[in-house]
Amino acid sequence: MTNIILLGPPGAGKGTQARKLVEERGMVQLSTGDMLREAKTSGTEMGKRVAEVMDRGQLVTDEIVNGLIEEKLKTAGGNGFIFDGFPRTLPQADALGKLLAKIGSKLDAVIEMRVDDEALVRRITGRFTCGNCGEVYHDETKPTKVPGTCDVCGSHDLKRRADDNEDSLKTRLMEYYKKTSPLIGYYYATGDLFTVDGLAEIDDVARQMSAILDQQAS
Ligand code: ADP
Ligand code: ADP
Ligand code: ZN
């Protein structure tokens, strides 16, 4: 059982790599972004409260996301957790350490995905996903084989996120550098930090990740 955090700015490739790890290693992906979007579309009170904040590109409160993760840790099993987009602040990192300890578990590795800002703009503005199975695509780097049809499940429900525009991305990047990037120093200090070159091709990034995971498991 290996528990990892994928750490990186919006568009770094966290979701893409998490899905591969789920498929190849039977790990469980816990994406706070996906959980929040689910709450948004299901129209819960919490969903309504966070919708505007998310669309603007700001972070929602630690209290809300910590609560979401706590709920999932109680129920989800599998071959280790992939924390995708969580923690994003130092208080969230502290909360995660405590929550894992509570279930008799711990963090094994934090993988920082390094990508420059210019590439992030291209990644975010070209991103679309399958509304049915969650597969992540890109207009240029990962198009569907048949236009308008998901390769994985055949659904035609392909969509773009409300916050995937240059305006919101600017705010998201500021939030990342101000509030999330300090976690790189934090996890360097705890000895858990590994870095991959997120600019490499998708399969190459996956190989870099696998090497880290295999090293952790041995
Ligand atoms: P990306 O794929 O661009 O990194 P996510 O899907 O992880 O984005 O998150 C989308 C939005 O959801 C964020 O911009 C933020 O508003 C909210 N969000 C997701 N995770 C967190 C978190 N751990 N803390 C605070 N806000 C979060
Ligand atoms: P994050 O979850 O970190 O926000 P995603 O996994 O959603 O990032 O990826 C953002 C966009 O970039 C998607 O359109 C995805 O298809 C594309 N992408 C992901 N990894 C790579 C890569 N290594 N090279 C080129 N494009 C990529
Ligand atoms: Zn699909």
Side-chain angles (χ1 to χ4, degrees), residues 9-16 123 127 136-138 141 198 200-202 205:
K14 303 179 296 292
T16 299
R123 291 217 183 151
R127 167 162 63 185
V136 185
Y137 295 99
H138 189 279
T141 60
E201 282 181 16
I202 292 174
V205 178

Side-chain angles (χ1 to χ4, degrees), residues 165-178:
N165 55 71
E166 277 202 50
D167 239 17
S168 162
L169 178 61
K170 255 186 220 149
T171 309
R172 284 151 74 197
L173 281 175
M174 277 306 288
E175 292 281 80
Y176 177 78
Y177 291 118
K178 266 197 302 201

Side-chain angles (χ1 to χ4, degrees), residues 10 14 32 37 54 58 60 85 88 92 127 161 172:
K14 303 179 296 292
T32 41
R37 275 185 291 279
M54 288 177 74
Q58 290 167 340
V60 310
R88 265 175 149 99
Q92 289 178 26
R127 167 162 63 185
R161 278 168 45 177
R172 284 151 74 197

Side-chain angles (χ1 to χ4, degrees), residues 12-87:
K14 303 179 296 292
T16 299
Q17 296 300 327
R19 287 181 67 83
K20 286 174 95 70
L21 292 171
V22 168
E23 203 179 295
E24 288 161 18
R25 293 179 184 253
M27 296 174 78
V28 175
Q29 176 187 12
L30 296 182
S31 158
T32 41
D34 286 348
M35 293 172 206
L36 290 165
R37 275 185 291 279
E38 216 172 281
K40 225 175 111 175
T41 44
S42 65
T44 60
E45 261 321 298
M46 186 265 277
K48 282 183 210 151
R49 263 191 292 146
V50 300
E52 256 186 65
V53 177
M54 288 177 74
D55 289 352
R56 274 202 304 271
Q58 290 167 340
L59 294 186
V60 310
T61 63
D62 292 338
E63 196 188 356
I64 288 178
V65 288
N66 290 347
L68 287 170
I69 289 288
E70 183 168 16
E71 276 312 301
K72 294 282 175 178
L73 287 185
K74 276 187 204 150
T75 53
N79 191 24
F81 295 110
I82 307 159
F83 296 97
D84 163 9
F86 178 90

Side-chain angles (χ1 to χ4, degrees), residues 140-212:
E140 276 130 40
T141 60
K142 198 185 177 230
T144 54
K145 291 196 179 87
V146 179
T149 309
C150 176
D151 296 353
V152 178
C153 74
S155 166
H156 299 295
D157 180 23
L158 301 174
K159 43 191 188 190
R160 292 184 197 271
R161 278 168 45 177
D163 58 343
D164 274 353
N165 55 71
E166 277 202 50
D167 239 17
S168 162
L169 178 61
K170 255 186 220 149
T171 309
R172 284 151 74 197
L173 281 175
M174 277 306 288
E175 292 281 80
Y176 177 78
Y177 291 118
K178 266 197 302 201
K179 297 174 184 164
T180 308
S181 68
L183 297 185
I184 296 169
Y186 175 94
Y187 287 120
Y188 173 75
T190 60
D192 294 315
L193 188 73
F194 296 83
T195 301
V196 297
D197 173 16
L199 283 171
E201 282 181 16
I202 292 174
D203 287 339
D204 185 29
V205 178
R207 277 191 288 275
Q208 297 178 54
M209 296 235 174
S210 277
I212 294 166

